[in-house]
Amino acid sequence: MTAPSTKIQSQPRIILLDVLRLFAALIVVCFHWFFRGPASGDQATNVAVANNIAMYGYIGVDWFFIISGFVIAWTAEGRTALQFALARFIRIYPAFVVCMTLTFVGTLYLQPHFNVVGFKDWCANLVIFAPALGSKFIDGAYWSIVIELIFYAWVFVFLLAGVFDRHRKAIAVIWLAISLINQHFLHSGILRLVAATEFAPWFIMGMMLHDIWKRSFTIVPIVILTTAFFASCATLLGQLVEFTRDYGQEPIQVVVLTLNTIGLILVIACIYAAPKGQFWPRWAGIAGALSYPLYLLHQHLGYMFIDLIAPTLGATSALLLTFILIICVASVVAFLVEPILRQKLTSGLSVILHGSKIVAPVVERASRVR
């Protein structure tokens, strides 16, 4: 019997989604360095003038999830469950391990009192779901990676069952219904985790955008998209109570809802502005590649380095120098380290699974949110 092929055909990239993904990562960086760090006490250095603007930067993570819903729906097309799983694993894991290890080492040697971690925590973070093993995330930003992986796991299950392409709209409706029921009535912690009910509306918006863009401009996906958008707005309003409790400041509802709307509009604009992406300069794709390592590296390493040099250089210079440093390290990871690790991992998995090299390398089809 012939082993199933792991050949993965490349598709055109939507370069503008890469740019939007980087922009979303940058506003999350602003949220952490200018607002969350000082508000939570994780960062002593504070530039108060930026607080009231930066506090809304957490919305960038929700923009990530819309992009992810679109790109994963696109990436899963024409792939088996195994091909999809391998592609996601190879794309996510090498950079995660490198960036997590850098953060771990930085925590130990730059500022050990910042976040007490040990070798056990590093080992637990190797499986990403560290809290499930009774440990802590090396960096608090990893929670969103867990949400992404839950989404990927369900896509894998549906691909395995052979229903993801044929019944995507039905899957979206059922998932959205479960999300609404749980978020507003059941409040089950298990469902919130297993079905990612708090963030389902954004993934569903992305999935329906792909359905509309690639398949047909029909009423059903539009209705699902619209319903998911209003569900996301309700979720954001519900999150404000927790946000105020954690940080002592309450975002303005109109601003939060406006930014959520802008995120959806920007994703739509990027999708339709240049579907094949080759009309855009190469630097746009390069910039997008930085978003994942930038997101993984910026938070705790950023807090520590800013506080380390701020007493000498001042707050503004410390923030600027830290940003340059994180961008440089992220670039090394994205363009030097990760490609080598990804190639070796691809070859190794190919030998294990099939006894021969994969015919074509696993290719990231378009920008994905991390």
Side-chain angles (χ1 to χ4, degrees):
M1 183 182 217
T2 304
S5 172
T6 55
K7 181 177 180 179
I8 298 178
Q9 303 296 330
S10 63
Q11 291 181 349
R13 295 173 67 90
I14 299 181
I15 297 298
L16 284 182
L17 280 182
D18 288 325
V19 177
L20 179 59
R21 183 175 50 154
L22 178 61
F23 179 66
L26 290 173
I27 65 175
V28 173
V29 171
C30 290
F31 168 71
H32 284 134
W33 291 1
F34 290 99
F35 179 77
R36 187 199 175 278
S40 65
D42 288 337
Q43 178 183 303
T45 306
N46 185 18
V47 181
V49 69
N51 285 0
N52 291 335
I53 299 175
M55 69 187 297
Y56 297 100
Y58 71 94
I59 300 294
V61 177
D62 298 321
W63 295 7
F64 285 169
F65 292 152
I66 301 175
I67 299 172
S68 186
F70 176 88
V71 172
I72 294 305
W74 190 14
T75 302
E77 279 195 327
R79 281 179 170 169
T80 65
L82 177 60
Q83 288 170 338
F84 173 79
L86 288 175
R88 292 298 91 201
F89 177 73
I90 292 170
R91 190 66 184 90
I92 291 174
Y93 197 65
F96 176 82
V97 171
V98 172
C99 292
M100 184 270 290
T101 301
L102 288 173
T103 302
F104 172 70
V105 173
T107 302
L108 291 179
Y109 291 99
L110 281 179
Q111 205 169 345
H113 64 275
F114 173 79
N115 185 19
V116 180
V117 294
F119 183 69
K120 175 185 174 183
D121 298 302
W122 179 81
C123 292
N125 275 263
L126 286 176
V127 297
I128 302 179
F129 293 83
L133 300 180
S135 189
K136 64 180 74 174
F137 289 127
I138 297 294
D139 189 301
Y142 298 168
W143 71 267
S144 65
I145 309 300
V146 171
I147 300 299
E148 286 276 346
L149 290 177
I150 291 170
F151 175 47
Y152 299 167
W154 282 109
V155 173
F156 172 82
V157 169
F158 293 133
L159 284 172
L160 200 61
V163 298
F164 186 72
D165 285 331
R166 290 180 296 159
H167 302 292
R168 192 177 303 173
K169 290 186 282 291
I171 292 169
V173 169
I174 294 171
W175 190 16
L176 185 57
I178 293 172
S179 172
L180 290 170
I181 292 170
N182 191 59
Q183 290 302 115
H184 299 285
F185 300 102
L186 297 180
H187 306 292
S188 167
I190 294 177
L191 267 180
R192 184 185 181 193
L193 176 63
V194 173
T197 57
E198 186 174 1
F199 303 100
W202 287 276
F203 289 114
I204 291 169
M205 281 191 278
M207 290 168 60
M208 291 303 99
L209 283 176
H210 176 266
D211 200 274
I212 295 168
W213 175 72
K214 194 69 179 286
R215 297 166 188 255
S216 61
F217 198 88
T218 56
I219 189 65
V220 174
I222 293 174
V223 170
I224 298 172
L225 171 64
T226 304
T227 306
F229 171 73
F230 283 111
S232 72
C233 291
T235 297
L236 285 172
L237 293 180
Q239 291 172 343
L240 294 184
V241 175
E242 183 178 352
F243 188 100
T244 305
R245 184 190 67 232
D246 290 343
Y247 304 119
Q249 295 188 52
E250 182 178 3
I252 300 171
Q253 293 184 4
V254 174
V255 176
V256 170
L257 297 181
T258 299
L259 289 172
N260 191 44
T261 305
I262 289 173
L264 177 59
I265 292 172
L266 285 175
V267 173
I268 294 172
C270 289
I271 291 170
Y272 284 96
K276 293 186 178 180
Q278 61 262 37
F279 303 109
W280 297 90
R282 184 180 177 185
W283 63 261
I286 293 174
L290 288 173
S291 59
Y292 187 35
L294 172 63
Y295 182 81
L296 291 172
L297 289 168
H298 82 276
Q299 188 175 350
H300 284 178
L301 275 182
Y303 292 160
M304 292 183 289
F305 198 72
I306 289 168
D307 283 346
L308 184 67
I309 63 178
T312 303
L313 301 180
T316 302
S317 297
L319 286 161
L320 179 58
L321 184 58
T322 300
F323 179 72
I324 293 172
L325 175 66
I326 295 294
I327 286 292
C328 289
V329 176
S331 298
V332 171
V333 173
F335 305 121
L336 295 178
V337 178
E338 183 187 21
I340 294 173
L341 294 178
R342 194 190 312 176
Q343 182 181 20
K344 291 184 178 300
L345 186 58
T346 301
S347 300
L349 287 173
S350 172
V351 170
I352 292 171
L353 294 174
H354 303 287
S356 60
K357 291 186 177 181
I358 294 177
V359 177
V362 176
V363 176
E364 177 67 5
R365 286 178 161 78
S367 170
R368 65 166 294 280
V369 61
R370 283 84 170 240

